[in-house]
Coordinates of all heavy atoms in Angstrom, one line a residue:
A45 N -16.4 -15.5 -27.2 CA -16.7 -14.2 -27.6 C -18.1 -14.2 -28.3 O -18.8 -13.1 -28.3 CB -15.7 -13.6 -28.4
E46 N -18.4 -15.3 -29.0 CA -19.7 -15.3 -29.7 C -20.9 -15.9 -28.9 O -22.0 -16.0 -29.4 CB -19.5 -16.3 -31.0 CG -18.4 -15.9 -31.9 CD -18.6 -14.5 -32.5 OE1 -19.7 -14.1 -32.7 OE2 -17.5 -13.8 -32.7
W47 N -20.6 -16.2 -27.6 CA -21.6 -16.8 -26.8 C -22.6 -15.7 -26.3 O -22.2 -14.6 -25.8 CB -20.9 -17.5 -25.6 CG -21.8 -17.9 -24.5 CD1 -23.0 -18.7 -24.6 CD2 -21.8 -17.6 -23.1 NE1 -23.5 -18.9 -23.4 CE2 -22.8 -18.2 -22.5 CE3 -20.8 -16.8 -22.4 CZ2 -23.0 -18.0 -21.1 CZ3 -21.0 -16.6 -21.1 CH2 -22.1 -17.2 -20.4
R48 N -23.9 -16.0 -26.2 CA -24.9 -15.2 -25.6 C -25.1 -15.5 -24.2 O -25.4 -16.7 -23.9 CB -26.2 -15.3 -26.4 CG -26.2 -14.9 -27.8 CD -27.5 -15.1 -28.5 NE -28.6 -14.5 -27.7 CZ -29.9 -14.7 -28.0 NH1 -30.3 -15.5 -28.9 NH2 -30.8 -14.1 -27.2
E49 N -24.8 -14.5 -23.3 CA -24.9 -14.8 -21.9 C -26.4 -15.1 -21.5 O -27.3 -14.7 -22.1 CB -24.4 -13.6 -21.1 CG -22.9 -13.4 -21.3 CD -22.4 -12.3 -20.4 OE1 -23.0 -12.0 -19.4 OE2 -21.3 -11.7 -20.7
G50 N -26.5 -15.8 -20.4 CA -27.8 -16.2 -19.9 C -28.2 -17.6 -20.2 O -29.2 -18.1 -19.6
E51 N -27.5 -18.3 -21.0 CA -27.7 -19.7 -21.3 C -26.4 -20.4 -21.4 O -25.3 -19.7 -21.5 CB -28.5 -19.8 -22.6 CG -27.8 -19.1 -23.8 CD -28.7 -19.1 -25.0 OE1 -29.9 -18.9 -24.9 OE2 -28.1 -19.3 -26.1
L52 N -26.4 -21.7 -21.4 CA -25.1 -22.4 -21.5 C -24.5 -22.3 -22.9 O -25.2 -22.1 -23.9 CB -25.4 -23.9 -21.2 CG -25.7 -24.3 -19.8 CD1 -26.0 -25.8 -19.7 CD2 -24.5 -23.9 -18.9
P53 N -23.2 -22.2 -23.0 CA -22.5 -22.1 -24.3 C -22.8 -23.3 -25.2 O -23.1 -24.4 -24.7 CB -21.0 -22.0 -23.9 CG -21.0 -21.7 -22.4 CD -22.2 -22.2 -21.8
P54 N -22.7 -23.1 -26.5 CA -22.9 -24.2 -27.4 C -21.7 -25.2 -27.3 O -20.7 -25.0 -26.7 CB -23.0 -23.5 -28.7 CG -22.2 -22.3 -28.6 CD -22.4 -21.8 -27.1
E55 N -21.9 -26.3 -28.0 CA -20.8 -27.4 -28.0 C -19.5 -26.9 -28.5 O -18.5 -27.3 -27.9 CB -21.3 -28.5 -28.9 CG -22.4 -29.4 -28.3 CD -21.9 -30.3 -27.2 OE1 -20.6 -30.4 -27.0 OE2 -22.7 -31.0 -26.6
P56 N -19.4 -26.0 -29.5 CA -18.0 -25.5 -29.9 C -17.2 -24.9 -28.8 O -16.0 -25.0 -28.7 CB -18.3 -24.6 -31.1 CG -19.6 -25.0 -31.6 CD -20.4 -25.5 -30.4
V57 N -17.9 -24.1 -27.9 CA -17.2 -23.5 -26.8 C -16.7 -24.6 -25.8 O -15.5 -24.5 -25.4 CB -18.1 -22.5 -26.0 CG1 -17.4 -21.9 -24.8 CG2 -18.6 -21.4 -27.0
Y58 N -17.5 -25.6 -25.5 CA -17.0 -26.7 -24.7 C -15.9 -27.4 -25.3 O -14.9 -27.8 -24.7 CB -18.2 -27.6 -24.4 CG -19.1 -27.2 -23.3 CD1 -20.2 -26.4 -23.6 CD2 -18.9 -27.4 -22.0 CE1 -21.1 -26.0 -22.6 CE2 -19.8 -27.0 -20.9 CZ -20.9 -26.3 -21.3 OH -21.7 -25.8 -20.3
A59 N -16.0 -27.6 -26.6 CA -14.9 -28.3 -27.3 C -13.6 -27.5 -27.3 O -12.5 -28.1 -27.1 CB -15.3 -28.6 -28.8
A60 N -13.7 -26.2 -27.4 CA -12.5 -25.4 -27.3 C -11.9 -25.5 -26.0 O -10.6 -25.6 -25.8 CB -12.9 -23.9 -27.7
L61 N -12.7 -25.5 -24.9 CA -12.2 -25.6 -23.5 C -11.5 -27.0 -23.3 O -10.4 -27.1 -22.7 CB -13.3 -25.4 -22.5 CG -12.9 -25.4 -21.1 CD1 -11.8 -24.4 -20.7 CD2 -14.1 -25.3 -20.1
V62 N -12.1 -28.0 -23.8 CA -11.5 -29.4 -23.7 C -10.2 -29.4 -24.4 O -9.2 -29.9 -23.9 CB -12.5 -30.4 -24.3 CG1 -11.7 -31.8 -24.5 CG2 -13.7 -30.6 -23.5
S63 N -10.1 -28.8 -25.6 CA -8.8 -28.8 -26.3 C -7.7 -28.0 -25.6 O -6.6 -28.4 -25.4 CB -9.0 -28.2 -27.7 OG -9.9 -28.9 -28.5
D64 N -8.1 -26.8 -25.0 CA -7.2 -26.0 -24.3 C -6.7 -26.7 -23.0 O -5.5 -26.7 -22.7 CB -7.8 -24.6 -23.9 CG -7.9 -23.8 -25.2 OD1 -7.1 -23.9 -26.1 OD2 -8.8 -22.9 -25.1
L65 N -7.6 -27.3 -22.2 CA -7.2 -27.9 -21.0 C -6.4 -29.2 -21.2 O -5.5 -29.5 -20.5 CB -8.5 -28.3 -20.2 CG -9.2 -27.1 -19.6 CD1 -10.4 -27.6 -18.8 CD2 -8.4 -26.2 -18.7
A66 N -6.7 -29.9 -22.3 CA -5.9 -31.1 -22.7 C -4.5 -30.7 -23.0 O -3.5 -31.4 -22.7 CB -6.6 -31.8 -23.9
A67 N -4.3 -29.5 -23.7 CA -3.0 -29.1 -24.0 C -2.2 -28.7 -22.8 O -1.0 -28.7 -22.8 CB -3.1 -27.9 -25.0
L68 N -2.9 -28.2 -21.7 CA -2.2 -27.8 -20.5 C -2.0 -28.9 -19.5 O -1.3 -28.7 -18.5 CB -3.1 -26.7 -19.8 CG -3.3 -25.4 -20.6 CD1 -4.2 -24.5 -19.8 CD2 -2.0 -24.7 -20.9
R69 N -2.6 -30.1 -19.8 CA -2.5 -31.2 -18.8 C -1.0 -31.6 -18.6 O -0.3 -31.8 -19.5 CB -3.3 -32.4 -19.3 CG -3.3 -33.5 -18.3 CD -4.4 -34.5 -18.6 NE -4.6 -34.8 -20.0 CZ -5.7 -35.3 -20.6 NH1 -6.7 -35.7 -19.8 NH2 -5.7 -35.5 -21.9
G70 N -0.7 -31.7 -17.3 CA 0.7 -32.0 -16.9 C 1.7 -30.9 -17.0 O 2.9 -31.2 -16.8
T71 N 1.3 -29.7 -17.2 CA 2.2 -28.5 -17.3 C 1.9 -27.6 -16.1 O 0.8 -27.5 -15.6 CB 2.0 -27.8 -18.6 OG1 0.7 -27.2 -18.6 CG2 2.1 -28.7 -19.8
P72 N 2.9 -26.8 -15.7 CA 2.7 -25.9 -14.6 C 1.7 -24.8 -15.0 O 1.1 -24.2 -14.1 CB 4.1 -25.3 -14.4 CG 5.0 -26.2 -15.0 CD 4.3 -26.9 -16.1
Q73 N 1.5 -24.6 -16.3 CA 0.6 -23.5 -16.7 C -0.9 -23.8 -16.3 O -1.7 -22.9 -16.1 CB 0.6 -23.3 -18.2 CG 0.0 -22.0 -18.7 CD 0.3 -21.7 -20.1 OE1 0.9 -22.6 -20.8 NE2 -0.1 -20.5 -20.6
L74 N -1.2 -25.1 -16.1 CA -2.6 -25.4 -15.7 C -2.8 -24.9 -14.3 O -3.9 -24.4 -13.9 CB -2.8 -26.9 -15.8 CG -4.2 -27.4 -15.3 CD1 -5.3 -26.9 -16.2 CD2 -4.2 -29.0 -15.3
A75 N -1.8 -25.1 -13.4 CA -1.9 -24.6 -12.0 C -2.0 -23.1 -12.0 O -2.8 -22.5 -11.2 CB -0.8 -25.2 -11.2
L76 N -1.2 -22.5 -12.8 CA -1.3 -21.0 -12.9 C -2.6 -20.5 -13.3 O -3.2 -19.5 -12.8 CB -0.2 -20.5 -13.8 CG 1.3 -20.7 -13.3 CD1 2.3 -20.2 -14.4 CD2 1.5 -20.0 -12.0
L77 N -3.2 -21.2 -14.3 CA -4.5 -20.8 -14.8 C -5.6 -21.0 -13.7 O -6.4 -20.2 -13.5 CB -4.9 -21.6 -16.1 CG -6.3 -21.5 -16.6 CD1 -6.6 -20.1 -17.1 CD2 -6.6 -22.5 -17.6

Side-chain angles (χ1 to χ4, degrees):
E46 305 299 327
W47 167 57
R48 293 177 56 189
E49 295 187 19
E51 57 189 38
L52 287 178
E55 286 284 357
V57 178
Y58 280 91
L61 181 60
V62 169
S63 299
D64 286 334
L65 292 180
L68 296 176
R69 182 162 42 195
T71 66
Q73 197 170 5
L74 180 63
L76 295 176
L77 173 67

